[in-house]
Amino acid sequence: MNRETAAYDYVIVGAGSAGCVLANRLSADPRTRVLLLEAGGKDDYIWVKIPVGYLYCIGNPRTDWRFKTEAQDGLGGRALNYPRGRVLGGCSSINGMIYVRGQKRDYDQWRQLGNPGWGSDDVLPYFRKSEDFAGGAVGEHGVGGELRVEGQRLHWPLLDAIRDAADAAGIVKRDDMTFSDVPGVGYFSVTQRSGWRLSAATAFLRPALRRPNLTVATGAHAERVVFEGKRAVGVAYSQGDARKHARADGAVILAAGAIGSPQLLEVSGIGDAAVLGGLGIPVLHHAPGVGANLQDHLQLRCIYKVTGASTLNERIKTIFGKAAIGLEYMLFRSGPMSMAPSQLAAFAHSSPAVETPDVQYHIQPLSLDRFGEPLHPFPAFTIAPCNLRPRSRGSVHAVSADTRDAPRIHPNYLSDPEDRRVAAECLRLTRRIVAQEPLARYAPREHAPGLQFQNDAELAAAAGQVGATIFHPVGTARMGQDAEAVVDERLRVRGVEGLRVIDASVMPTIPSGNTNAPTMMIAEKGAAMLIEDARR
């Protein structure tokens, strides 16, 4: 079948956190023709703009791919919903808006794993370039960038008490939780502007849309990368009933994320020959690392009932309570409708042997059995630790040559014995925090996982019962110099020409914190590399 054809310098697949940054930076030169392809639609949905709207965007086919994992042995055979953004802005349009960079050791480790130019000192300028920190250019923060980073516009006495309890347990109070290098407890900073979500589409893409050299195609489903020999020359995609081909004279850039990018590589003939052969896909280049090395943060959702505390559970039960919440947001852009999914953060050590914090807490003045289900009828809070540096490794693989078929996602949670040990220690640490005097007036009682779990084996099993993804998949097209690496340190796909991957899939190891800010950093650095290479 004939396809409509158009030519550009760069064709970017995926208008998420990375793709929007790339589109902005690459189109800044008016001589550079850029096409940005997004399978989802425009971000003109009101719940993309209002912070609490993630409740209505996740699981919604308008904004979410609605992926699901394979059944996980480590989670007692449960399969998890696996949200990924399918809209301009990608996951930044439906995520928790939390801005955390991670630790310097994360990026120094990337460099030590064979990726020169990716140490902490190397990446710092790219973090700062994007950022517009409300607190000013203090420490290693940046100002004047497109991405506004602000404090949250809410106050919960219960959260203050949990913060004080963590402090009493030895996790000292801090004002800035952007960095996880040292222990601390405090409120998350968020990617918002005056109480509105600030997605990558709003921050980076919208200011660039007036440029005549930038074309954005929504509803554009990438089908495969087109090659001439072993050089990528474009992308075949469909838009409605039309079949199209975009030629890339400079480079094809995959920015479809840790789930979409490896799938697109595989259907284009780049991947493990055994996997491709099983799908009937001709092998262009044998790359066994494609789809491997999946890493994710597993949160352990511990729930405590309380007495005499205001929580969202009871505030939202009545018409009056809902009206008051809506009125507060309408008048002041504050309160529960401005909330990130988690408000209070803590970084801690799972044991004295750990050099830097390896546990992150996400703490909320609410509780529910599973995401998407109603809040509990009783007052309660959720305090969810996660192992920041899991050793378990999973995979993502295509199930057919058609990118419309959801890939097979197997995170392999808690498969490594060390992860089970850390999970048990996380649950013990949580109980220590909750037992501190500042929380005593609320008489917290453990609802989940339950006090019947005590020894290591029992606690590891409990972790599997209350474990859930915190939506941080990375690493499925990792960079490096070894045979399993998919891209090199300049994010070029090894074994072919003209093709780069620039998104969270290139991370060799998962950062010690939330992954949106590091993904944007990767896009900033990747764009700079492309511009530098084009000038040679």
Side-chain angles (χ1 to χ4, degrees), residues 81 136 159 199 223 238 277 307 338 363 418 446 450 456 458 464 483:
N81 293 329
L159 291 179
S199 69
E223 297 174 346
S238 59
T307 300
S338 73
I363 305 168
E418 178 64 9
E446 186 171 322
D456 287 353
E458 291 169 346

Side-chain angles (χ1 to χ4, degrees), residues 144-156:
E146 290 82 354
L147 190 67
R148 182 70 171 173
V149 178
E150 298 182 345
Q152 296 181 72
R153 303 162 71 88
L154 52 86
H155 177 251
W156 292 83

Side-chain angles (χ1 to χ4, degrees), residues 67-134:
F67 293 137
K68 200 175 186 71
T69 71
E70 300 287 292
Q72 298 295 290
D73 290 343
L75 304 186
R78 290 185 295 130
L80 301 180
N81 293 329
Y82 218 65
R84 295 284 90 196
R86 188 177 183 269
V87 62
L88 287 179
C91 289
S92 73
S93 289
I94 70 172
N95 71 357
M97 299 161 284
I98 291 169
Y99 187 86
V100 174
R101 292 189 190 174
Q103 300 177 8
K104 292 180 180 179
R105 73 176 297 281
D106 298 328
Y107 306 106
D108 290 340
Q109 183 183 30
W110 290 6
R111 180 180 57 202
Q112 291 159 10
L113 289 171
N115 299 290
W118 288 92
S120 58
D121 291 340
D122 302 309
V123 303
L124 176 60
Y126 299 102
F127 277 116
R128 298 186 68 175
K129 181 177 182 178
S130 293
E131 187 184 15
D132 184 25
F133 184 59

